[in-house]
Amino acid sequence: MEKSVESPLLTDRKVMEEGYHSINTVRKDIEPNGVPNEGDSTRKAMLLSRCCALLCVGLAVVDWVVLAEIIQKLQEPDEHGESYNKPMFLCFCIRTTYMISFIPYVVWKYTPLGGQGRHDQEPFSKGYMFTRACVLNVLGYISGYTWYMSLPITSVSANTAIYMCACAAVFIISIPVLREKITIIKVMSLLICCTGILLVSIFSAPHAADIKPTTTFTDNLLDVHSPDTNKGSVLGYVLVLISMFMYASYEVFYGYLLQTDQDKHPAMTSLQLVGYLGVTTPVLFGLALPIWHFTGWETLMLPPADKVYLFFICLVVDAIFNILLLLAIALSNPTLASVGQSLALPASMVADLILHHFLMPWPALIGAGCVFCGFCGFVYEELRHGNSHSSNPEVTTEDRRALLNGEESPEPYAESSLDSDNLNNVVA
């Protein structure tokens, strides 16, 4: 019997078919429906990242309450009735203090405490960090300074209501910039949160006559220590709106500039960028201080000797607050961090009750409950979806990173050319 000999073309066809089926079998296990699926490990990593972000938000809120108590004591009038009010100098010193974030970064990067991860390649160059820090610093500095300028010429309760609603502006800006996913629960949570902020702001001031003479943190924040007769000027509200928009942009673009699929240690990258914010402050605004001083706009001076220690504590505590807030952005997204920041209002009420034995009026308490419920709703939606950003396979994170750097974006993901049509063409 003669042995059947297969033609070389038929043999090649079988080999190619086996390869084709094996490729598609692996693809179905790894990439169902053409969408990358990394399984439970990705889900667990996301949950861990969100939990760390929520921890940072919680610590930042506690830090805010402590900071407010310190600032209140720092700005108490002296025996001559004068208070320490130097917004330009205070902003400059606080933002320069951001350099302390280099301390944990250096410990992680250059000591054995960093483990094997410290040898991983960093996603951004030092030049990238420096130039982007300059842009962010301008946004942040303008936001802080315009807010300080708006305080004397606006109603403090209205000022607070506008500024604390920055979470809504962050959400709106994140939609085009970060492709934030819009859901009913997110929108409703933001509306509930903003409603609570307005309730706290509006229903605190009418009870000013019943407040004890010694002001508390909430008194200072919401202007309930004296009748709210100052309705403010149009310029004041324009300034606070500019400040709020700049602050929202600052948070969103901070998150945008850290977006990359190549960063294995986002917390350390965030600490490094915050450190560069401190480095660029003297570079950008160092010449502004003598100009403010010699023109008489703001005389540069330290507080009285008995309050100097409060000044330096304020610098460190404020820097820690911003480091924690920006860490939360790096580990989650700007909207979650901004909504969490609004928890400072109910936290301040708890501080008033514990430290000063003062309970806010019931409408304000309802507002605080709304803030907390809105935050919980937003967190639930974040954890439920697992990814706060919409998925567009044609525009990846690396594409946005390349466009930001002025480079050509990489080719989008393409299916293997080894499909049945190509196979028939090859065989034919």
Side-chain angles (χ1 to χ4, degrees):
M1 181 182 294
E2 294 183 0
K3 298 171 83 175
S4 60
V5 180
E6 295 182 349
S7 66
L9 182 60
L10 182 61
T11 303
D12 291 342
R13 181 185 180 93
K14 287 184 177 180
V15 171
M16 295 176 72
E17 285 180 345
E18 290 175 359
Y20 170 72
H21 290 302
S22 63
I23 288 175
N24 279 277
T25 301
V26 174
R27 180 175 294 160
K28 288 179 181 178
D29 294 337
I30 298 178
E31 299 178 358
N33 300 324
V35 179
N37 181 16
E38 297 180 9
D40 293 338
S41 60
T42 302
R43 176 71 177 174
K44 291 178 181 179
M46 184 278 299
L47 290 175
L48 178 61
S49 177
R50 293 295 189 271
C51 290
C52 291
L54 293 175
L55 176 62
C56 290
V57 168
L59 293 175
V61 168
V62 174
D63 187 284
W64 174 271
V65 175
V66 175
L67 175 64
E69 294 287 340
I70 295 173
I71 291 179
Q72 181 180 319
K73 293 181 180 179
L74 178 64
Q75 294 184 338
E76 286 179 352
D78 55 17
E79 61 273 10
H80 302 292
E82 297 181 356
S83 59
Y84 184 76
N85 186 22
K86 305 294 180 184
M88 184 68 177
F89 183 59
L90 195 59
C91 281
F92 180 86
C93 293
I94 287 173
R95 300 193 72 83
T96 303
T97 312
Y98 287 6
M99 285 190 286
I100 65 174
S101 68
F102 276 134
I103 297 175
Y105 170 77
V106 169
V107 171
W108 171 80
K109 185 67 177 177
Y110 299 104
T111 69
L113 295 176
Q116 294 299 321
R118 63 195 178 100
H119 300 297
D120 294 335
Q121 183 178 2
E122 295 183 350
F124 307 118
S125 65
K126 292 180 173 58
Y128 177 92
M129 287 288 196
F130 185 86
T131 54
R132 272 55 180 184
C134 289
V135 176
L136 288 171
N137 222 339
V138 171
L139 292 174
Y141 209 103
I142 292 175
S143 172
Y145 188 67
T146 52
W147 181 72
Y148 276 117
M149 290 178 63
S150 71
L151 284 177
I153 51 178
T154 58
S155 163
V156 180
S157 56
N159 187 301
T160 302
I162 294 172
Y163 198 81
M164 294 296 284
C165 286
C167 55
V170 169
F171 180 71
I172 293 172
I173 299 174
S174 295
I175 294 172
V177 176
L178 298 178
R179 298 183 299 125
E180 182 80 30
K181 186 181 296 182
I182 304 175
T183 66
I184 297 297
I185 294 180
K186 281 186 179 182
V187 174
M188 292 301 297
S189 298
L190 281 173
L191 289 176
I192 292 172
C193 188
C194 292
T195 301
I197 293 171
L198 293 175
L199 284 174
V200 174
S201 302
I202 294 172
F203 287 97
S204 298
H207 299 268
D210 301 328
I211 303 301
K212 59 185 181 182
T214 304
T215 60
T216 63
F217 166 52
T218 310
D219 301 335
N220 182 58
L221 185 64
L222 300 176
D223 196 28
V224 300
H225 57 277
S226 61
D228 198 5
T229 56
N230 177 23
K231 300 303 180 182
S233 66
V234 175
L235 176 61
Y237 292 111
V238 170
L239 288 174
V240 73
L241 284 172
I242 292 174
S243 176
M244 185 266 288
F245 179 77
M246 287 292 183
Y247 188 68
S249 302
Y250 170 77
E251 290 188 329
V252 172
F253 284 101
Y254 183 89
Y256 178 83
L257 294 175
L258 288 181
Q259 273 196 328
T260 176
D261 295 329
Q262 308 301 320
D263 192 0
K264 298 180 181 179
H265 311 284
M268 295 299 107
T269 305
S270 177
L271 288 174
Q272 188 182 11
L273 183 55
V274 175
Y276 276 104
L277 289 175
V279 170
T280 56
T281 298
V283 175
L284 295 174
F285 305 103
L287 292 177
L289 290 180
I291 294 175
W292 258 246
H293 179 77
F294 290 111
T295 56
W297 290 346
E298 181 180 314
T299 305
L300 305 181
M301 58 179 295
L302 289 172
D306 59 335
K307 294 183 179 180
V308 171
Y309 76 98
L310 290 174
F311 176 80
F312 287 105
I313 293 176
C314 175
L315 299 184
V316 176
V317 174
D318 195 301
I320 292 175
F321 167 77
N322 284 277
I323 290 171
L324 290 171
L325 184 64
L326 297 177
L327 269 177
I329 293 175
L331 294 172
S332 57
N333 58 72
T335 309
L336 179 62
S338 184
V339 173
Q341 190 179 357
S342 64
L343 292 177
L345 285 178
S348 67
M349 294 182 179
V350 175
D352 280 343
L353 183 62
I354 296 175
L355 300 177
H356 306 286
H357 308 288
F358 170 66
L359 186 64
M360 293 290 289
W362 66 267
L365 296 178
I366 294 177
C370 289
V371 172
F372 183 76
C373 291
F375 172 74
C376 291
F378 201 92
V379 171
Y380 166 77
E381 188 71 355
E382 283 286 318
L383 297 180
R384 186 169 73 94
H385 278 285
N387 182 11
S388 63
H389 303 116
S390 61
S391 57
N392 181 1
E394 295 182 359
V395 183
T396 63
T397 302
E398 289 305 317
D399 291 338
R400 295 193 297 275
R401 171 69 49 223
L403 292 174
L404 184 65
N405 291 332
E407 304 169 358
E408 293 184 1
S409 60
E411 292 295 329
Y413 175 83
E415 294 287 344
S416 172
S417 60
L418 190 59
D419 53 21
S420 57
D421 293 335
N422 290 332
L423 185 62
N424 293 331
N425 292 334
V426 171
V427 173

